[in-house]
Amino acid sequence: MIRRLNLNGLAVTLVHQPDARDAAALIQVKAGSHDEPDRWPGLAHLLEHLLFTGSQRWPDRDRLMSWIQANGGRVNATTLARHSAYFFEITAARFGDGLARLHDMLCAPLFETAAIKQEMAVIDAEYRLLQHHVPAQAEAALFSLVAEPHTFHRFQIGSADAFGANVVALQQALRDFHQRFYVASNLQLWLQGPQSLDDLAHLAQRFAETLPQGQVQLTIPPLQLLPEMKPHAMLSEGVAQYWHSWILDAQWSDNVTLLREFLLDDAPGGLMASLRQRGIASEIELKWLYQSDKQLWLVAIFTTEQPDRLSQSVQHALQAIGETCEEQQMHYLQLAQQRFNALSPLEQLRQRVLGFAPAEPKRFHAFIAALQAAPSATLFCSNAVYSNKALGESVKTQGFELSLAPRETAPQRQSAVTAFAFYPLKTELICSPLPTAAVTLLHLASDKAATLILRPEFFSNLSESGEACAKRLRPLFATLRHVGGGGEWREAQGVWQLTLRLPDNQKLADWALEQVADALADNRSGSDPQQPESIAIRELLKRLPQHLTSASSPTCWRAVLCGGSEALHHVIARRLATFSLPVNPLLRSAPLSSRSGVSRIDHPGRDNALLLFIPLDQRHPLAALRALAQIYEPRFFQRLRVEQQIGYVVSSRYLRSADHDGVLFALQSPNLSVGRLLQHCKRFLRSLDNEIATLDIEALKTQLRVDESNAALTALRREQGLHDMTQTSIDALTLGDLQQLHTRLTNQRRRWRVLFTAGR
């Protein structure tokens, strides 16, 4: 249920989501990087940072970011070309308190000189980090093909050099920008949660009552590409990619999500299945490059080394999509709605405002025709495009220095048009006979569709073949989506896990499980070498699971079924008996200690990054660890990121990785050595001894929440003697438990797991 209001000049959208546990807010300002004065490139980005550093009512720890972190929520912001957005998610009971803090940070920022200097340094470090970030370079390369407006070429991230040394002048520029654009008529507020529409409206009314008033008048010049522009190729590191973009009139916005659903479909007969089968491309991503009230710039990013063959296939696919009937379009729109419904309240709001929320298509055939005729810019990125940088022209744009050269398209023989097939389709399912034997399969009652969870034996993983399995299972999952089911094979908490959603159709379930059995029995890695993440700390997070467990090859599978009929349960249990590894053997999983030690991870970046994982000793309650992590998170950020400015990545949180529970500390710095970063972690832990001894344990316990999002996996863990945090364990928690565990985490350093990269 949705309600739209205008309150005191503020445009408000309210979304009632009765099944949600949390509530989310997003406020968008119609001002971004393109609205900055030419004198101050990066000003909008700096303002975004500064608003989180304190406001009149909440100048310090209790401000929005610290308060959200302390209460287990999520908060973030983004600065785009024509918009800036601030958003958070928190439990419904604390939503009003969060909105009050959001209001104060937007309306009454402090703009303190010390905070400005601090955030200038952070943004400067972020700018240096992005110099080696291939997606940022690719966007800048596409923006270099724009003739008007000139703001597409202007430096937008911000840096110490761009901001300059005159902090007083910069402070005044920030105030002027804020005063001009942060007024009610230039803001849009979205609220979503389990509260009734009337309750949400009351919260919105309180938010709007004291917003500053004013009118903003802007003339946004139309986006135009360079005349007679030719596609360009960029010399860059990383996987070869082809960026194909279209500039559209904003009237077509309601059709883009439906187009995206057609293009993302992995089922046999669709574009991606055809591209993979012919070895042309392996992945696709759609994103917005630019959004204004009148124009949209959409890009499809393909992983490919054959841009010319790909371009021809995309043209054929668009032609076929443009010929689909209304029944097919409504079918794919339903799939887009299902994808959207699976998101959290916060992610739904972000898609509504900044991404791809489902909408009833308007003149879809005309939209496809307009897309094919739209101004288009393409970019081929590959480290193999030119072996000599001198062959490319050095172009400076948006603070990047890029090697660009015209890409001449190879002459193409007119190939036969690919035959595409769109759902709904009638498919004949053929299965081998079921065995008489059946595995022991835990069956949990549920009124939702049957969902099978299958994962490797606890404390083991599929380090080599997990990615290859994901590729083999992709067509199956896509086919199931078209018949009311679906599935995922992905790393969950550092372990590859199958989540298979099945309609209550025994033949279909049996067929799907047989496809899964074949995919998992094929233990070939079959994957291309994985490129490292461009940001060092992300690479360390990706590597952590394999460095915690010594068992990379499982001896069995563990499975549980949630929902579905008894007859379906029996079919699944029999089919699971045909898997190449035993499923649910009677022998219980044996808990293994996590591997400790220090490991250096090779990474091409120039920063020093540190990942410290401190595992929980099983003799201590998980509730104590979760409570300590909640204490560490805001304090770690405040002291090392805000007060000491250690680096631009400063994070601490609870983490379960490869079945090991622990607390994580992550740091990345362009200046400090790995040894210094580790010393800061040690010093931080030691500094909390007295503070933990004086905590209000009862108040802390009210902030802990039992995770009810995956009852099936929780039941499977319990069956194997592995427990999760319960309300009973929270109620039993004492201050002594926290002190004892904190001392153990701090002092038993031989159990620590440290991963690091050292800049070059």
Side-chain angles (χ1 to χ4, degrees):
M1 297 173 61
I2 296 177
R3 181 185 298 174
R4 291 180 174 84
L5 306 169
N6 189 292
L7 302 172
N8 199 29
L10 174 70
V12 177
T13 301
L14 310 175
V15 184
H16 172 55
Q17 187 180 2
D19 59 340
R21 180 177 181 179
D22 294 336
L26 186 151
I27 191 157
Q28 180 174 252
V29 187
K30 291 184 180 180
S33 298
H34 285 198
D35 303 301
E36 301 162 343
D38 288 337
R39 167 67 182 83
W40 300 107
L43 188 74
H45 187 198
L46 178 60
L47 176 60
E48 173 210 311
H49 277 238
L50 279 170
L51 292 184
F52 285 105
T53 63
S55 59
Q56 289 183 8
R57 287 184 64 189
W58 291 283
D60 44 33
R61 277 189 186 174
D62 217 22
R63 61 182 182 268
L64 181 67
M65 179 167 284
S66 302
W67 181 83
I68 288 284
Q69 291 174 337
N71 285 277
R74 294 189 297 156
V75 61
N76 214 330
T78 186
T79 300
L80 304 174
R82 293 292 178 189
H83 303 91
S84 301
Y86 305 83
F87 36 88
F88 74 87
E89 184 177 70
I90 195 72
T91 57
R94 296 185 173 94
F95 191 47
D97 293 333
L99 281 174
R101 286 165 171 80
L102 178 65
H103 180 281
D104 201 55
M105 72 174 250
L106 291 171
C107 298
L110 296 177
F111 293 130
E112 293 178 336
T113 302
I116 293 174
K117 292 179 179 179
Q118 166 194 301
E119 296 308 316
M120 284 169 57
V122 171
I123 287 177
D124 188 67
E126 185 178 328
Y127 164 60
R128 283 186 279 171
L129 175 68
L130 289 176
Q131 290 296 304
H132 309 284
H133 190 231
V134 176
Q137 293 174 346
E139 284 193 20
L142 271 176
F143 292 157
S144 73
L145 307 180
V146 174
E148 292 291 342
H150 75 281
T151 46
F152 274 97
H153 302 267
R154 192 176 64 189
F155 185 50
Q156 297 178 16
I157 302 166
S159 69
D161 289 339
F163 295 134
N166 191 338
V167 179
V168 175
L170 178 58
Q171 184 182 53
Q172 188 59 50
L174 287 162
R175 286 175 174 154
D176 291 344
F177 189 88
H178 177 265
Q179 186 176 8
R180 179 185 181 190
F181 291 110
Y182 282 65
V183 295
S185 64
N186 205 44
L187 303 176
Q188 293 174 291
L189 177 68
W190 283 261
L191 303 182
Q192 178 167 337
Q195 299 94 330
S196 69
L197 289 176
D198 288 342
D199 288 342
L200 291 173
H202 177 68
L203 291 171
Q205 179 68 50
R206 287 169 52 192
F207 189 96
E209 281 174 354
T210 56
L211 287 176
Q213 296 298 301
Q215 293 297 320
V216 178
Q217 293 184 347
L218 287 174
T219 301
I220 301 176
L223 169 58
Q224 298 178 14
L225 297 174
L226 291 170
E228 299 180 2
M229 182 273 300
K230 294 182 179 180
H232 282 64
M234 184 179 75
L235 178 65
S236 66
E237 301 295 332
V239 176
Q241 289 185 331
Y242 177 67
W243 292 49
H244 192 126
S245 67
W246 302 268
I247 298 174
L248 300 166
D249 191 290
Q251 67 169 310
W252 300 115
S253 61
D254 288 341
N255 296 278
V256 175
T257 300
L258 177 56
L259 169 67
R260 178 173 178 260
E261 198 63 39
F262 275 109
L263 294 179
L264 293 183
D265 186 23
D266 286 313
L271 172 63
M272 286 313 301
S274 171
L275 293 176
R276 293 190 182 105
Q277 185 178 13
R278 292 182 288 153
I280 296 177
S282 58
E283 302 292 340
I284 180 177
E285 176 191 1
L286 268 72
K287 62 185 292 186
W288 294 112
L289 291 173
Y290 176 78
Q291 295 170 287
S292 73
D293 291 342
K294 294 184 177 181
Q295 284 183 299
L296 308 169
W297 194 357
L298 178 71
V299 65
I301 307 168
F302 296 89
T303 302
T304 180
E305 295 181 351
Q306 304 176 62
D308 296 318
R309 290 184 67 195
L310 174 63
S311 180
Q312 194 172 65
S313 296
V314 171
Q315 292 173 18
H316 293 165
L318 291 177
Q319 184 68 33
I321 292 170
E323 295 171 357
T324 53
C325 66
E326 184 177 353
E327 180 188 10
Q328 291 169 321
Q329 294 165 22
M330 289 301 101
H331 173 77
Y332 281 82
L333 184 62
Q334 289 175 359
L335 295 183
Q337 188 67 54
Q338 291 172 14
R339 191 190 298 272
F340 180 80
N341 291 343
L343 301 175
S344 69
L346 179 59
E347 291 306 315
Q348 286 192 13
L349 283 191
R350 292 182 65 180
Q351 290 300 315
R352 289 182 192 278
V353 183
L354 306 170
F356 301 94
E360 194 76 23
K362 298 174 182 176
R363 299 191 299 132
F364 187 68
H365 294 149
F367 160 69
I368 295 295
L371 183 76
Q372 292 173 299
S376 179
T378 66
L379 184 74
F380 181 47
C381 308
S382 173
N383 57 10
V385 175
Y386 300 110
S387 58
N388 186 341
K389 279 195 174 185
L391 295 176
E393 176 187 358
S394 181
V395 175
K396 291 185 177 180
T397 180
Q398 288 208 342
F400 295 93
E401 186 167 346
L402 309 172
S403 180
L404 293 173
R407 183 178 71 84
E408 301 293 340
T409 57
Q412 289 286 312
R413 291 178 299 176
Q414 189 63 34
S415 61
V417 176
T418 306
F420 294 101
F422 301 109
Y423 286 76
L425 296 171
K426 291 184 178 180
T427 306
E428 185 178 359
L429 305 177
I430 301 175
C431 306
S432 61
L434 277 169
T436 55
V439 305
T440 301
L441 179 63
L442 181 64
H443 188 193
L444 304 179
S446 173
D447 56 358
K448 297 182 179 179
T451 299
L452 177 73
I453 303 292
L454 184 136
R455 51 150 295 160
E457 173 67 299
F458 286 96
F459 303 100
S460 66
N461 206 348
L462 296 166
S463 58
E464 298 297 329
S465 56
E467 290 283 354
C469 285
K471 292 182 178 180
R472 290 192 291 268
L473 287 167
R474 204 155 33 194
L476 167 64
F477 297 153
T479 302
L480 283 174
R481 289 187 74 222
H482 289 292
V483 292
E488 291 178 319
W489 172 260
R490 64 180 182 87
E491 281 193 291
Q493 300 176 335
V495 178
W496 286 101
Q497 176 179 294
L498 172 74
T499 303
L500 200 62
R501 296 180 297 278
L502 297 166
D504 202 15
N505 179 313
Q506 297 177 31
K507 186 174 183 179
L508 178 61
D510 190 25
W511 171 82
L513 276 175
E514 190 168 33
Q515 307 303 306
V516 171
D518 291 343
L520 297 182
D522 187 348
N523 57 13
R524 296 171 298 170
S525 65
S527 295
D528 299 328
Q530 293 294 301
Q531 295 291 327
E533 295 279 353
S534 57
I535 297 175
I537 202 69
R538 293 179 183 172
E539 180 66 15
L540 296 183
L541 282 166
K542 186 171 72 173
R543 298 284 197 95
L544 179 62
Q546 68 190 68
H547 284 269
L548 287 177
T549 181
S550 56
S552 59
S553 299
T555 57
C556 69
W557 299 104
R558 295 291 174 185
V560 57
L561 177 66
C562 184
S565 65
E566 285 299 325
L568 180 62
H569 169 261
H570 187 57
V571 168
I572 293 173
R574 291 170 66 188
R575 181 56 67 187
L576 289 175
T578 68
F579 278 41
S580 58
L581 290 178
V583 178
N584 292 344
L586 296 180
L587 188 65
R588 271 191 170 189
S589 306
L592 299 176
S593 298
S594 62
R595 294 164 60 193
S596 58
V598 180
S599 299
R600 174 173 177 163
I601 306 299
D602 290 333
H603 190 271
R606 298 178 182 178
D607 295 335
N608 298 318
L610 173 80
L611 199 70
L612 168 61
F613 181 81
I614 310 179
L616 174 69
D617 187 320
Q618 297 299 319
R619 289 173 291 183
H620 294 269
L622 179 57
L625 180 74
R626 298 293 298 268
L628 283 177
Q630 202 155 285
I631 295 167
Y632 295 159
E633 182 177 358
R635 290 165 176 80
F636 191 69
F637 183 86
Q638 173 69 23
R639 295 180 189 180
L640 275 69
R641 163 68 166 75
V642 177
E643 297 172 7
Q644 300 178 43
Q645 301 178 37
I646 298 305
Y648 38 76
V649 176
V650 176
S651 176
S652 173
R653 60 187 171 91
Y654 158 77
L655 180 71
R656 174 174 291 162
S657 182
D659 300 314
H660 298 285
D661 295 295
V663 62
L664 180 81
F665 298 93
L667 292 170
Q668 183 169 331
S669 171
N671 304 315
L672 298 184
S673 68
V674 171
R676 289 281 304 281
L677 295 178
L678 186 57
Q679 283 297 326
H680 277 291
C681 292
K682 295 176 181 177
R683 192 177 300 119
F684 169 76
L685 287 168
R686 289 195 298 266
S687 72
L688 293 179
D689 292 348
N690 294 333
E691 190 170 351
I692 290 175
T694 59
L695 285 171
D696 183 345
I697 186 64
E698 295 304 319
L700 183 63
K701 288 195 289 187
T702 64
Q703 298 173 11
L704 294 175
R705 292 194 294 166
V706 177
D707 184 8
E708 300 174 349
S709 61
N710 198 333
L713 187 58
T714 300
L716 186 60
R717 287 176 54 83
R718 187 179 300 118
E719 191 179 54
Q720 296 304 307
L722 306 172
H723 297 291
D724 289 296
M725 186 172 68
T726 64
Q727 190 58 51
T728 300
S729 65
I730 294 173
D731 294 339
L733 194 62
T734 67
L735 188 58
D737 293 332
L738 264 63
Q739 292 176 282
Q740 187 178 10
L741 179 57
H742 172 70
T743 299
R744 193 169 184 84
L745 294 178
T746 302
N747 295 335
Q748 290 203 338
R749 296 176 189 167
R750 290 185 178 181
R751 302 185 70 245
W752 289 9
R753 192 61 171 118
V754 177
L755 304 183
F756 72 93
T757 68
R760 298 180 178 180

